[in-house]
């Protein structure tokens, strides 16, 4: 019987398959580009108060779906153990509420000294000080931590703690750090009432985070096997990434709808875009070093608990929670804090919050790939070392048995 010759593979088809596989692998990044384009051309659809009422449909509904999935996926024992993990809280919250504000304040004063002509808009600088003081984001860092193979329970606990502290810390901390010069008087003395803001923030935290998380935990505890089967078959954790695209869509729609971004000078826009990327990368490095400090720091008995290396999974959670900032809390808080200030100025002040929280997701997408490979390498190394130890142990047992047999013969 004659064999059918298939011939050499078509190089064009192979190239198309490679490109398709690459695009499929980077679907989240492509999705971010698509929703940004949609937000630019149709900003009124997903803006705050727009066609789909994103302040409810996305800020409540979509975030609730993300935390329902987290509640279904995370064992409650892990949540309880992380609530008692004082070092995890210390590293994340100190970086978020102390280190980042100090760093940004230093950069702002350097810019003020080098830019007396005001090419960088002062509203942008005030917005950066505010951005530095807001807590970590509610949803995206949990999704990114899970995607990178990190401990999403640790990320979830830090989100809850930060967003409970945030409304009380951010407002006072921002006013203290605003430069004491005449050009910033508008933001130092233009404060509004925060009572309604506290009500809105804690209402959102309760309805979109705590309630769905509690429901998910109850379902997981009541039907553990069936819940695990549903998660496996439906791939629910991956849908959390789709939900994140809707958050980005809403954020950019509000930004373009106000016209704040378009009204800024080219120098201000270039500065904001590039500074956000550099800041996020640098803060991720700081978080990594804070989680896994040099061994020499923990060489003493008294310093070991403070400088002990965290597990790779906890390290990934810290690296996504520490540098991140929240639009969901940041924008309502900004508008409540400076209620008497005109809308145009408030919109310009909100640009650092809007762009930083969007760019952090784009940059974090690349860190997901990086941390996933790093984690896989560590796991593979542990397996090799375990296999080596097992072989050594078997060889030692065999040697001892051989000596025993020789002794019995003698």
């Amino acid at each position: 019987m004659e064999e059918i010759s298939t011939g050499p593979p078509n190089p064009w088809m192979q190239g198309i398959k490679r490109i398709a596989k690459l695009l499929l692998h980077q679907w989240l990044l492509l999705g971010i580009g698509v929703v940004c384009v949609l937000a630019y051309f149709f900003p009124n659809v997903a803006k705050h108060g727009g066609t789909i009422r994103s302040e409810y449909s996305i800020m409540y509904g979509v975030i609730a779906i993300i935390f329902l999935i987290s509640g279904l996926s995370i064992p409650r024992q892990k949540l309880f153990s992380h609530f008692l993990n004082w070092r995890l809280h210390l590293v994340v919250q100190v970086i978020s509420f102390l280190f980042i504000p100090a760093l940004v304040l230093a950069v702002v004063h350097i810019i003020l000294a080098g830019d007396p002509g005001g090419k960088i808009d002062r509203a942008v600088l005030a917005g950066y000080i505010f951005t530095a003081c807001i807590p970590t984001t509610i949803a995206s860092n949990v999704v990114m931590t899970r995607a990178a193979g990190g401990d999403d329970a640790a990320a979830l606990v830090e989100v809850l703690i930060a967003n409970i502290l945030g409304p009380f810390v951010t407002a006072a901390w921002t006013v203290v750090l605003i430069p004491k010069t005449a050009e910033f008087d508008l933001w130092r003395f233009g404060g509004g009432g925060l009572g309604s803001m506290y009500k809105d923030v804690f209402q959102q935290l309760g309805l979109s985070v705590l309630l769905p998380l509690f429901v998910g935990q109850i379902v997981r505890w009541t039907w553990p096997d069936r819940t695990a089967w549903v998660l496996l078959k439906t791939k629910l954790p991956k849908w959390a990434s789709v939900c994140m695209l809707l958050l980005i869509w809403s954020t950019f729609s509000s930004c373009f709808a106000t016209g704040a971004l378009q009204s800024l000078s080219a120098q201000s826009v270039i500065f904001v875009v590039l500074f956000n990327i550099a800041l996020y990368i640098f803060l991720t490095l700081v978080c990594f070093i804070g989680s896994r400090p040099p061994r020499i720091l923990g060489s003493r008995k008294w310093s070991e608990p403070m400088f002990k290396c965290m597990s790779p999974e906890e390290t990934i959670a810290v690296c996504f929670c520490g540098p991140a900032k929240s639009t969901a809390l940041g924008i309502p808080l900004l508008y409540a804090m400076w209620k008497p200030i005109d809308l145009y100025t408030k919109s310009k002040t909100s640009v650092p919050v809007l762009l930083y929280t969007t760019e952090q997701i784009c940059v974090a997408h690349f860190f997901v790939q990086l941390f996933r490979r790093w984690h896989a390498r560590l796991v593979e190394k542990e397996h090799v070392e375990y296999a080596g130890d097992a072989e050594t142990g078997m060889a030692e047992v065999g040697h001892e048995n051989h000596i025993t047999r020789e002794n019995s013969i003698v």
Side-chain angles (χ1 to χ4, degrees):
M1 190 172 176
E2 247 182 68
E3 291 184 5
I4 299 173
S5 176
T6 57
N10 189 332
W12 286 100
M13 288 302 296
Q14 284 186 326
I16 291 171
K17 284 180 181 178
R18 283 199 198 97
I19 292 171
K21 191 179 289 186
L22 178 65
L23 293 176
L24 190 62
H25 191 63
Q26 303 296 334
W27 70 269
L28 182 60
L29 200 60
L30 291 173
I32 291 172
V34 170
V35 297
C36 287
V37 171
L38 289 174
Y40 180 77
F41 287 105
F42 309 102
N44 292 324
V45 176
K47 71 173 185 178
H48 186 89
T51 307
I52 65 169
R53 299 302 297 271
S54 62
E55 67 271 24
Y56 300 112
S57 61
I58 291 179
M59 290 303 166
Y60 280 87
V62 170
I63 290 177
I65 291 171
I66 290 173
F67 282 93
L68 177 63
I69 293 170
S70 295
L72 293 170
S73 308
I74 300 172
R76 69 182 184 280
Q77 294 85 353
K78 286 181 71 175
L79 284 174
F80 291 145
S81 66
H82 283 307
F83 270 114
L84 301 175
N85 190 341
W86 63 270
R87 178 146 180 267
L88 179 70
H89 307 328
L90 189 67
V91 172
V92 173
Q93 306 308 333
V94 165
I95 288 174
S96 185
F97 287 120
L98 292 179
F99 180 81
I100 298 177
L103 176 65
V104 170
L105 184 63
V107 171
V108 166
H109 279 289
I110 290 170
I111 292 170
L112 290 174
D115 180 34
K119 290 182 180 178
I120 304 298
D121 199 301
R122 285 353 185 198
V124 169
L125 298 182
Y128 261 117
I129 292 174
F130 172 80
T131 303
C133 297
I134 60 179
T136 187
T137 186
I138 291 176
S140 62
N141 45 20
V142 177
V143 176
M144 294 291 188
T145 299
R146 184 186 299 123
D151 193 333
D152 51 348
L156 183 53
V157 167
E158 295 313 306
V159 164
L160 293 175
I161 293 173
N163 282 271
I164 289 171
L165 291 174
F168 302 104
V169 173
T170 302
W173 201 209
T174 301
V175 173
V176 167
L177 296 182
I178 289 286
K180 309 298 187 289
T181 57
E183 55 193 342
F184 287 96
D185 284 349
L186 184 64
W187 292 276
R188 281 195 295 128
F189 302 119
L194 297 176
S196 61
M197 184 277 301
Y198 285 129
K199 175 180 172 290
D200 293 341
V201 166
F202 286 113
Q203 178 179 295
Q204 182 184 6
L205 195 63
L207 293 178
S208 64
V209 177
L210 295 176
L211 181 60
L213 179 65
F214 177 74
V215 170
Q217 286 285 288
I218 291 294
V219 171
R220 182 185 173 93
W221 180 68
T222 309
W223 301 286
D225 295 334
R226 193 171 298 177
T227 302
W229 182 84
V230 170
L231 288 172
L232 182 65
K233 291 296 181 183
T234 59
K235 300 188 183 300
L236 268 180
K238 289 187 180 295
W239 284 98
S241 298
V242 178
C243 292
M244 199 166 58
L245 289 177
L246 297 176
L247 288 172
I248 298 170
W249 180 37
S250 173
T251 300
F252 257 105
S253 293
S254 297
C255 185
F256 288 127
T258 59
L261 187 60
Q262 298 93 313
S263 67
L264 289 176
S265 66
Q267 292 96 328
S268 295
V269 173
I270 292 170
F271 165 73
V272 170
V273 171
L274 296 181
F275 179 65
N276 286 345
I277 295 172
L279 180 63
Y280 188 85
I281 293 172
F282 175 72
L283 291 175
T284 303
L285 179 62
V286 170
C287 289
F288 187 85
I289 295 171
S291 306
R292 301 175 75 84
R295 291 190 179 181
I296 191 170
L297 294 176
S299 57
R300 305 281 180 152
K301 191 174 181 181
W302 60 269
S303 64
E304 186 180 355
M306 180 65 71
F307 296 105
K308 180 180 166 186
C309 281
M310 293 184 183
S311 68
E313 293 79 15
E314 288 180 351
T315 300
I316 292 172
V318 171
C319 288
F320 283 115
C321 290
K325 295 297 177 180
S326 170
T327 308
L329 176 64
I331 296 302
L333 183 55
L334 185 148
Y335 277 75
M337 275 180 61
W338 290 308
K339 193 172 183 180
I341 297 177
D342 63 281
L343 181 61
Y344 176 70
T345 303
K346 280 189 289 193
S347 298
K348 286 201 296 182
T349 309
S350 72
V351 167
V353 185
L354 293 169
L355 286 187
Y356 183 83
T357 52
T358 304
E359 286 183 74
Q360 77 188 6
I361 295 175
C362 299
V363 179
H365 176 70
F366 292 100
F367 276 114
V368 166
Q369 314 300 327
L370 190 65
F371 280 121
R372 187 187 290 161
R373 289 173 191 165
W374 173 70
H375 183 252
R377 231 178 10 249
L378 288 182
V379 170
E380 185 181 352
K381 185 180 176 183
E382 286 177 3
H383 286 167
V384 170
E385 289 176 354
Y386 177 78
D389 291 342
E391 287 178 9
T392 304
M394 291 294 290
E396 288 176 356
V397 170
H399 182 63
E400 289 175 2
N401 290 339
H402 179 68
I403 292 174
T404 303
R405 283 197 300 272
E406 285 185 348
N407 289 340
S408 63
I409 293 170
V410 173

